[in-house]
Amino acid sequence: MTPPVFRFAPSPNGPLHLGHALSALLNFDMARSTGGRFLLRMEDIDATRCRPEFEAAIYEDLAWLGLEWEQPVRRQSAHFGEYRAALERLYALQLTFPAFESRADLARMVADRDVRERWPRDPDGVPIYPGAARQMREEERRTRVTSGGAYAIRLDMERAMEWTGPLRWTETGAGPDGETGEVAADPAAWGDVIVGRKEMPTSYHLAVVLDDARQGVTHVVRGQDLFWSTSVHRVLHSLLDLPVPHYHHHRLVLDADGRKLSKSTQATGLRELRAAGATPADIRRLVGVPA
């Protein structure tokens, strides 16, 4: 039988904290207990925030925790051609469109709609796309694209759902409200999500499903904050004919105020804890993962 494949995929845009440690340790331990493989991936498409020194620090922190991973480490920044090809495929299926509104434009549009009735928000609390670029004439789109202005590439979610039909995934962990087992995807809750931009041929959603497929990842183990993002990922799996992994969403490590940890929270940073004398065994106890 083919061994299961797990991965830990941090963004090298800051130091690791206890929340990262929980996810990395769970992936590593599950791979080890099942005779599977453990991969490390750098999700570094954000060139303005991702830095080599943060990547080097990630390697150091993970090695200190006792983790070992296969080489080479995949970096998203080395695979823009693959992401661009996927965008072109979605465009050929007439499932994407360019949207030219700025963030300020979108904020004003949402504010205007909120006056009458609260505009829908996605599962992350962000207003779903309120614009009408989906209805723009093709000639106008081409003119706007060639004019040199900025634009986002959005997935026409309504049309995509007509293409895919109902979707589900197998959940061996639990969602925010205890959802587990066979879970029905709800892509409509996200609206017309961004899958790329003029200057960047991918988004988190597009890159992660392509990376997992290219690396043969069979089990995606990640925090509950990404539980409903799986709905978008299932749509992209279906549209791009990608294999569907099993999903296991785990609890989050929260701060004293009950909020998800931030990379700026020094009190929970692995480097700071190590400097204060913590051991790898201490980190396992702090995040509730047995040795």
Side-chain angles (χ1 to χ4, degrees):
M1 294 179 61
T2 303
V5 181
F6 298 79
R7 51 78 167 170
F8 177 56
S11 294
N13 56 13
L16 297 185
H17 53 57
L18 287 175
H20 297 113
L22 171 60
S23 194
L25 288 167
L26 286 175
N27 274 281
F28 180 75
D29 288 356
M30 291 172 79
R32 185 171 55 181
S33 66
T34 59
R37 299 164 55 203
F38 175 66
L39 309 179
L40 179 61
R41 181 168 75 227
M42 292 294 153
E43 298 195 338
D44 61 345
I45 60 175
D46 187 348
T48 61
R49 299 177 61 207
C50 295
R51 302 176 186 171
E53 58 266 32
F54 290 140
E55 182 173 336
I58 288 172
Y59 297 145
E60 184 178 329
D61 285 341
L62 295 180
W64 173 73
L65 283 174
L67 276 58
E68 298 177 350
W69 53 91
E70 294 184 12
Q71 297 290 346
V73 172
R74 181 180 174 99
R75 295 180 180 81
Q76 290 180 333
S77 58
H79 299 277
F80 288 158
E82 294 178 25
Y83 308 143
R84 187 174 290 106
L87 278 182
E88 291 172 353
R89 180 173 176 180
L90 294 173
Y91 176 76
L93 295 173
Q94 299 183 326
L95 294 174
T96 60
F97 62 89
F100 304 93
E101 300 92 348
S102 67
R103 287 184 174 86
D105 292 334
L106 294 174
R108 284 192 295 269
M109 295 168 73
V110 171
D112 290 343
R113 287 159 174 76
D114 276 345
V115 170
R116 298 187 295 273
E117 183 178 4
R118 182 171 168 80
W119 186 252
R121 267 63 174 175
D122 68 24
D124 286 340
V126 178
I128 65 173
Y129 175 63
R134 196 191 326 175
Q135 286 79 41
M136 187 178 292
R137 296 192 309 274
E138 188 62 32
E139 181 180 351
E140 184 178 356
R141 284 178 178 171
R142 287 196 296 267
T143 300
R144 294 285 299 272
V145 167
T146 57
S147 69
Y151 59 86
I153 303 170
R154 291 184 176 271
L155 182 69
D156 185 334
M157 189 61 80
E158 182 177 339
R159 189 175 181 119
M161 291 172 61
E162 291 174 356
W163 185 284
T164 67
L167 297 166
R168 309 180 72 83
W169 78 83
T170 300
E171 176 64 46
T172 60
D177 295 316
E179 302 92 341
T180 193
E182 291 298 306
V183 178
D186 184 18
W190 292 90
D192 298 329
V193 294
I194 293 174
V195 289
R197 295 185 183 275
K198 174 191 174 183
E199 70 283 359
M200 174 57 63
T202 191
S203 67
Y204 163 74
H205 295 303
L206 183 62
V208 73
V209 297
L210 288 169
D211 290 342
D212 286 340
R214 298 294 183 266
Q215 293 190 283
V217 172
T218 60
H219 292 70
V220 173
V221 180
R222 60 191 184 188
Q224 286 180 341
D225 53 324
L226 292 170
F227 181 81
W228 286 115
S229 294
T230 312
S231 293
V232 178
H233 301 168
R234 286 294 294 111
V235 170
L236 293 171
H237 291 142
S238 182
L239 296 176
L240 297 170
D241 297 319
L242 301 175
V244 182
H246 294 282
Y247 285 90
H248 182 103
H249 291 87
H250 60 73
R251 60 185 170 80
L252 301 177
V253 179
L254 305 177
D255 65 15
D257 297 319
R259 295 174 300 190
K260 187 177 80 165
L261 297 183
S262 163
K263 287 185 176 178
S264 62
T265 308
Q266 292 188 353
T268 59
L270 296 187
R271 179 149 296 199
E272 287 77 16
L273 291 167
R274 183 168 34 153
T279 66
D282 293 329
I283 301 302
R284 282 184 172 271
R285 282 193 294 271
L286 285 170
V287 300
V289 175

